[in-house]
Amino acid sequence: MILGIGTDLANIDRIARVLERHGDRFRNRVFTDIEQAKAERRLDTPGTYAKRWAAKEACSKALGTGLRMGIAWKDMAVSNLPTGQPVMHLTGWAAERLAAMTPPGHAAVVHVTLTDDHPWAQAFVVIEARPLHIPET
């Protein structure tokens, strides 16, 4: 069952200007060390940050809160599997919210996909509740 869906569209040039203006202050407030390391290794550093910004916004919408109610930017983080597939990790209040919205007898799975086509970066997040036990027929 679907618990939440969120999407966000971020302007890569806007994120580049914020990075130029606020540098480490912005990076350290919004992105985890893993996210920063990934972005700084990429040729399109602003695009990588913009996709992760969009993922955090989309995740907060899928959680039904937006960026309020105690969710911190770093409570939602994107990393990548060895295949390149993005994976969303929730900690802190975001993880608490996810647990509260997950029905008993289910496990929550957060799906995320990212894309960009300059000057836009986009993310979709779908939160799914999967039954822990599948009934026998």
Side-chain angles (χ1 to χ4, degrees), residues 1 102-108 129-137:
M1 110 184 41
T102 304
H106 291 74
R130 290 186 184 161
L132 292 173
H133 304 288
I134 299 173
E136 295 182 27
T137 55

Side-chain angles (χ1 to χ4, degrees), residues 37-116:
K38 171 81 172 185
E40 297 300 326
R41 286 193 310 265
R42 302 297 298 258
L43 286 177
D44 183 15
T45 299
T48 302
Y49 280 120
K51 285 185 281 191
R52 278 148 179 76
W53 171 278
K56 292 167 187 278
E57 288 274 5
C59 185
S60 71
K61 293 170 186 174
L63 288 168
T65 64
L67 284 163
R68 57 185 172 87
M69 297 177 61
I71 292 180
W73 287 103
K74 288 184 176 183
D75 285 350
M76 302 164 290
V78 178
S79 66
N80 295 84
L81 297 176
T83 60
Q85 177 184 350
V87 180
M88 182 69 74
H89 305 275
L90 304 182
T91 58
W93 200 92
E96 291 173 19
R97 170 70 180 150
L98 180 63
M101 64 191 286
T102 304
H106 291 74
V109 180
V110 180
H111 303 276
V112 61
T113 187
L114 310 172
T115 191
D116 66 300

